[in-house]
């Protein structure tokens, strides 16, 4: 059997690493799966891509499509054109896509048009918000996939409601948690202060040394277009962080390239650099982020993956979104997150409540570190 699996952007890398290891394992036990890894090249900075391949032990991609940045249609169109050539040349039995980025959509469409079977890892997540590019990617990918591997039971229900035949759906658990389990010992060895020293933005003018202790700092990530692309939204969010959060405690903020660009565009960048308690970092590696998360007093994020990691680590989390495709991570389901959107009054209220919360780890069903094996077995057993 020949499988091509696809990655494109940062959140894909931690999902594909355990999948590739699980293929190696079944091959060691007598199976003969030929596997090729394709990187579409959507994320191309070393810190957004190469660093994750190295630290998670992902073999270099067999093929890199070099797509880079662009509008959604440019990214999707260019990926389809390039990936179709790969498929015609390599003739795989399966294309495996993960998550919800543009690569996930483009490669599943290209494969289906050539009658190649598609397996989607992390199927069935729904935010119900079609203004999110990721939601369009999820809907199309799941509609086309032959095998839909779901991370939680709520996702199974979503797919059934949409009329997906039950035999196509398999509940396997959350593959991100395989990576978390495999890497938490290594992450624990990383020193928080060295994360800061090694990743401070070059143009930051301070030469201060930080001595942060557990439970004494906040961590922040934000990259969604709905939070960062408009001045009227980003400015009050930034004011809250700069005027309020950083008066309470240091705020460690690894900045996504999109967000850095928008802070500069809206004239907020210099103020961010000048604030000693706003610790601006380059995008950081997997172990560094896991380490910061383990001891953070509070997480503020619009990332779906961090919401899941906060759930398992128990880090009290404010999710800077109005909806989530991962309700299992919310406090009403036993998780650590609460949805706060991007309205500052709501954020402030929940921030004050959240600061009083204790760390409360929670493990949804099958978030057990063994998901990748179930994924590979589901493909082998597919009829
Ligand atoms: C993408 C995914 C999103 C995921 C996020 C994580 C889609 C639709 N979105 O969003 O689901 O949560 O990645 O990071 O696929 N850029 C760089 N260097 C890079 C990559 C991007 O400078 O290595 C710049 C691009 O030029 C662009 C901006 O960052 O201006 C955004 O990149 P893009 O690939 O469009 O999407 P993300 O916002 O990263």
């Amino acid at each position: 059997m020949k499988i091509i699996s696809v990655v494109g952007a940062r959140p894909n890398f931690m999902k594909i690493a355990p999948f590739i290891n699980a293929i190696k394992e079944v091959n060691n036990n007598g199976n003969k799966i030929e596997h090729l890894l394709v990187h579409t090249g959507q994320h191309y900075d070393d810190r957004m891509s190469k660093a994750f391949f190295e630290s998670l032990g992902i073999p270099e991609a067999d093929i890199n499509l070099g797509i880079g940045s662009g509008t959604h249609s440019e990214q999707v169109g260019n990926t389809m054109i390039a990936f179709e050539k790969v498929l015609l040349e390599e003739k795989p039995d399966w294309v495996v896509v993960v998550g919800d980025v543009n690569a996930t959509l483009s490669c599943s469409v290209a494969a289906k048009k050539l009658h190649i079977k598609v397996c989607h890892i992390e199927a069935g997540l729904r935010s119900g918000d079609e203004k999110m590019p990721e939601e369009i990617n999820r809907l199309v990918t799941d509609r086309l996939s032959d095998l839909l591997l779901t991370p939680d039971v709520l996702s199974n229900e979503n797919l059934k409601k949409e009329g997906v035949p039950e035999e196509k759906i398999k509940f396997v658990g959350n593959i991100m948690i395989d990576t978390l389990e495999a890497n938490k010992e290594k992450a624990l060895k990383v020193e928080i202060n060295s994360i800061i020293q090694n990743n401070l933005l070059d143009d930051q003018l301070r030469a201060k040394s930080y001595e942060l202790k557990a439970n004494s700092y906040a961590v922040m990530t934000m990259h969604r277009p709905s939070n960062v692309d408009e001045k009227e939204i980003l400015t009050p969010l930034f004011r809250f962080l700069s005027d309020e959060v950083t008066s309470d405690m240091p705020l460690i903020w690894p900045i996504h390239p999109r967000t850095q660009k928008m802070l500069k565009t809206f004239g907020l960048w210099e103020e961010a650099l000048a604030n000693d308690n706003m610790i601006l970092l380059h995008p950081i590696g997997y172990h560094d982020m896991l380490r910061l998360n383990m001891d953070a007093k509070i997480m503020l994020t619009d990332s779906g993956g961090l919401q899941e990691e906060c759930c398992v680590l128990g880090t009290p989390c404010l999710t800077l979104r109005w909806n989530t495709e991962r309700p299992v991570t919310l406090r009403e389901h036993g998780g650590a997150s609460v949805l706060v959107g991007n309205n500052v009054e709501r954020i402030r209220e929940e921030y004050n409540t959240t600061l009083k919360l204790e760390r409360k780890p929670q493990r949804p069903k099958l978030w057990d570190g063994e998901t990748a094996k179930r994924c590979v077995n589901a493909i082998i057993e597919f009829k």
Side-chain angles (χ1 to χ4, degrees):
M1 181 194 297
K2 183 167 180 176
I3 297 178
I4 289 188
S5 60
V6 178
V7 290
R10 185 171 58 180
N12 292 161
F13 308 140
M14 30 296 209
K15 294 171 195 167
I16 219 63
F19 181 75
I20 294 177
N21 288 337
I23 290 185
K24 274 189 214 139
E25 213 177 299
V26 297
N27 280 347
N28 287 342
N29 292 332
N31 277 279
K32 284 205 180 73
I33 297 178
E34 189 188 343
H35 176 255
L36 288 179
L37 179 64
V38 171
H39 189 334
T40 67
Q42 178 178 343
H43 282 177
Y44 46 84
D45 284 352
D46 283 357
R47 285 174 184 268
M48 298 289 282
S49 178
K50 193 169 165 218
F52 288 83
F53 275 68
E54 287 172 1
S55 68
L56 297 175
I58 306 171
E60 201 177 324
D62 297 285
I63 299 163
N64 191 316
L65 305 180
I67 299 304
S69 306
T71 66
H72 284 274
S73 294
E74 281 166 352
Q75 282 187 346
V76 169
N78 289 337
T79 306
M80 282 184 66
I81 294 167
F83 191 58
E84 183 182 55
K85 294 195 180 95
V86 173
L87 294 174
L88 289 170
E89 174 81 25
E90 298 294 341
K91 300 187 175 48
D93 302 292
W94 283 93
V95 166
V96 174
V97 292
V98 293
D100 56 18
V101 302
N102 286 336
T104 316
L105 164 82
S106 330
C107 295
S108 45
V109 177
K112 277 307 274 192
K113 281 181 176 280
L114 292 174
H115 311 250
I116 295 164
K117 289 192 286 290
V118 173
C119 168
H120 184 202
I121 299 181
E122 209 184 64
L125 295 179
R126 294 290 180 271
S127 67
D129 177 0
E130 293 188 7
K131 292 220 172 78
M132 279 178 78
E134 295 84 353
E135 184 74 353
I136 312 289
N137 295 344
R138 294 182 197 114
L139 285 165
V140 176
T141 303
D142 284 345
R143 181 67 189 81
L144 295 180
S145 292
D146 299 278
L147 180 58
L148 296 98
L149 303 179
T150 59
D152 56 49
V153 279
L154 300 173
S155 299
N156 283 42
E157 286 165 25
N158 291 337
L159 293 172
K160 283 183 208 153
K161 268 190 246 149
E162 288 172 15
V164 178
E166 269 192 57
E167 62 272 18
K168 285 184 163 191
I169 309 171
K170 194 151 177 50
F171 172 38
V172 293
N174 189 342
I175 201 160
M176 288 271 281
I177 306 306
D178 288 23
T179 304
L180 187 149
E181 289 302 326
N183 289 279
K184 66 183 184 198
E185 292 303 318
K186 187 170 169 196
L188 258 177
K189 297 199 180 104
V190 185
E191 277 231 40
I192 290 179
N193 294 307
S194 73
I195 300 172
I196 295 177
Q197 293 309 334
N198 293 338
N199 293 285
L200 269 178
L201 275 157
D202 295 337
D203 48 358
Q204 221 166 338
L205 301 169
R206 353 185 203 100
K208 189 172 158 180
S209 72
Y210 289 92
E211 292 297 331
L212 297 188
K213 301 214 165 32
N215 228 20
S216 72
Y217 60 87
V219 180
M220 164 87 195
T221 82
M222 184 162 71
H223 73 280
R224 294 207 180 267
S226 55
N227 282 334
V228 306
D229 282 4
E230 282 171 50
K231 189 175 186 182
E232 295 66 35
I233 293 177
L234 185 58
T235 304
L237 280 175
F238 178 79
R239 289 259 63 80
F240 173 73
L241 300 170
S242 184
D243 300 344
E244 302 184 42
V245 179
T246 64
S247 318
D248 291 342
M249 64 191 119
L251 173 71
I252 307 180
W253 188 356
I255 289 230
H256 187 282
R258 173 191 289 277
T259 310
Q260 181 173 159
K261 190 157 69 187
M262 298 322 288
L263 286 173
K264 287 180 178 158
T265 307
F266 302 147
L268 299 166
W269 188 243
E270 294 306 317
E271 183 184 338
L273 290 177
N275 182 337
D276 265 359
N277 246 4
M278 188 173 268
I279 305 175
L280 298 173
L281 306 184
H282 288 286
I284 55 176
Y286 181 80
H287 297 93
D288 291 355
M289 186 46 119
L290 187 54
R291 182 69 191 91
L292 290 181
N293 195 350
M294 284 171 170
D295 274 341
K297 170 123 189 95
I298 184 169
M299 173 73 67
L300 297 96
T301 188
D302 62 8
S303 148
L306 274 169
Q307 244 174 281
E308 296 177 335
E309 286 157 355
C310 286
C311 180
V312 171
L313 298 173
T315 316
C317 174
L318 298 183
T319 298
L320 300 162
R321 299 174 51 189
W322 296 111
N323 49 52
T324 178
E325 61 290 329
R326 295 166 163 93
V328 75
T329 63
L330 296 177
R331 290 182 200 157
E332 59 256 41
H333 290 277
S337 286
V338 61
L339 292 176
V340 294
N342 49 27
N343 172 293
V344 169
E345 272 165 40
R346 170 143 176 80
I347 296 173
R348 181 180 298 117
E349 194 184 313
E350 290 293 348
Y351 168 77
N352 288 325
T353 312
T354 301
L355 286 185
K356 295 182 198 116
L357 297 179
E358 296 288 313
R359 188 168 277 279
K360 186 170 143 281
Q362 156 85 2
R363 213 171 264 276
K365 198 169 163 202
L366 297 190
W367 292 27
D368 57 359
E370 303 288 329
T371 292
K373 283 181 206 150
R374 289 189 282 269
C375 293
V376 174
N377 285 333
I379 295 173
I380 293 172
E381 287 160 13
F382 182 87
K383 290 195 183 70

